[in-house]
Amino acid sequence: MFPSSDFFYDIWVRKALSATGHTVLIYDHLLTFHDEIQYIWNAPWTIVKVMFLINRYGNLVGQTAIRLEEAGFLAHDSELFCHRFVIVTNYFMVLSSESIHLLVLIRAWAIWGTRESIIKIMVGSYVFYVLALLGITTLGSVHDTHEEYQYLDLVEICASAMPKYMWLSYLGSFILDAVTFVLTARSLWRYSREFQSLYPSSLLRLLVRDATMFFVFSMFNNAMIFASWTVYANTPYTFLPKGFSGPLLSVAGQRVVLNLKSLPTRTYATHDLSREIDRQLEAFELDECCSSPEDGHDDPKETCCSSPQGRDAFDDPEGGREL
C-alpha cells in the first residue's frame, strides 16, 4: 500500500523541525564557546562543571546522530537498526532532558536560600523520577521487539507509533518543573523587596529572565511530548520531542549556567560598606525613636519628624550623612 500525501507531509515537517533543533544547538554552541572556555573549563572541577560538560557534549553527539538518521543516512531499510535506534534515543531523551533539569535545580538552590533538606527532597525526587523513566523505557523496549516502522523502504527514517498512555510517564516532569519555578520565583521576589541594597538590579533581572525562559522551554517540551504522543501518536510527529523541543530545552538550561557563571560578583569597597552600615544603623535608631514617644507627643512619627535629623531619616534612607 502506497502512503498518503499527508504521511509524506508529516515526514517533511519532522525532518524540517529536527534540522531546526540541531541547527539551534550547533549555533548556540558556537556563540557560547568562548564563555564555556572562560567560565567552565577554567573553573575548578565540581559536580556542576561535570554535569554541564556531559550534557553539553552528550547533546551535541546525540543530536548529530539523530540528524544523520533523519537525513536518511543510517537506516538503510533495516528494522533491526531502527529498533536499536529507538531504544538508544529513548534513553538519550530521558538522560538529556532530566540531567539539564538537575543541573538547573542545583543552581536554583543557591537562589532559594532554603534548608538543605528541601534540596535533598527535590534532587531525590528528580533522581527517582529519572530511574522510573529509564525503567519504563527498558520495559517498553523488551515488549516492542516486533514494532512496525512505517514505510521504512520509502522514507528511509525510523517512523513508528507511540504506545498508548506512554505520555503519562512525563507528568512527573511537569509537576517537578512547576515546583522548581515557583520556589525560584518566590525567592527572587523576596530578594527584590528585602535585599535591594545587597543584590544589584542586573543580577535580579538576569535571574528572573533565565528562570522564566527555562520554565517556558521546559513547559514547551512537556507540551510537545503530550501532544505528539496523544493526538499524533500514530504519526511521524512522535519523534519531535527528541529532535526538536529537546535541543531547545538543552540550550535554555546551558544558557542559565553560563549566564550565572559570567555574571561578575558584587563586592563592597570600604566606603560603600561604611555607607551601608550607617544606613542600617540610622534606620535602627529611627525605629527606636519612633517606638518611644517623648515630651508628651502622642504620635511616634511626629516625635521623630519634629527634629531635622528625624525628618531627614524619613526622607532619605542614607540619613543625609556624607562620608
Side-chain angles (χ1 to χ4, degrees), residues 192-299:
S192 65
R193 291 176 60 87
E194 298 179 9
F195 304 106
Q196 292 180 1
S197 59
L198 297 180
Y199 295 94
S201 58
S202 59
L203 171 61
L204 292 174
R205 284 196 300 269
L206 178 66
L207 293 177
V208 170
R209 184 198 68 187
D210 286 352
T212 303
M213 291 301 295
F214 181 77
F215 179 74
V216 168
F217 278 104
S218 183
M219 290 297 102
F220 175 73
N221 184 60
N222 291 330
M224 182 67 72
I225 291 174
F226 296 152
S228 62
W229 292 4
T230 55
V231 180
Y232 302 101
N234 296 315
T235 70
Y237 293 160
T238 56
F239 195 78
L240 292 182
K242 299 178 184 178
F244 178 56
S245 60
L248 300 183
L249 177 63
S250 296
V251 168
Q254 292 169 13
R255 283 279 182 167
V256 171
V257 177
L258 287 174
N259 287 339
L260 286 176
K261 288 282 189 179
S262 63
L263 190 72
T265 304
R266 181 177 181 182
T267 57
Y268 279 105
T270 304
H271 177 75
D272 294 332
L273 186 60
S274 176
R275 289 176 63 88
E276 177 64 20
I277 293 175
D278 286 342
R279 184 192 67 79
Q280 295 184 19
L281 287 175
E282 288 186 0
F284 176 77
E285 293 173 357
L286 182 62
D287 290 340
E288 290 292 325
C289 170
C290 293
S291 63
S292 56
E294 298 177 358
D295 300 331
H297 288 284
D298 294 330
D299 188 356

Side-chain angles (χ1 to χ4, degrees), residues 141-186:
S141 65
V142 171
H143 289 282
D144 294 336
T145 54
H146 301 291
E147 186 175 8
E148 180 181 353
Y149 297 95
Q150 303 167 349
Y151 306 105
L152 179 58
D153 56 331
L154 294 176
V155 297
E156 296 185 341
I157 66 173
C158 305
S160 60
M162 181 59 58
K164 197 175 183 180
Y165 304 122
M166 188 66 180
W167 62 275
L168 290 173
S169 60
Y170 276 84
L171 280 178
S173 179
F174 176 83
I175 296 173
L176 290 172
D177 292 346
V179 171
T180 301
F181 178 74
V182 169
L183 288 174
T184 304
R186 174 180 173 273

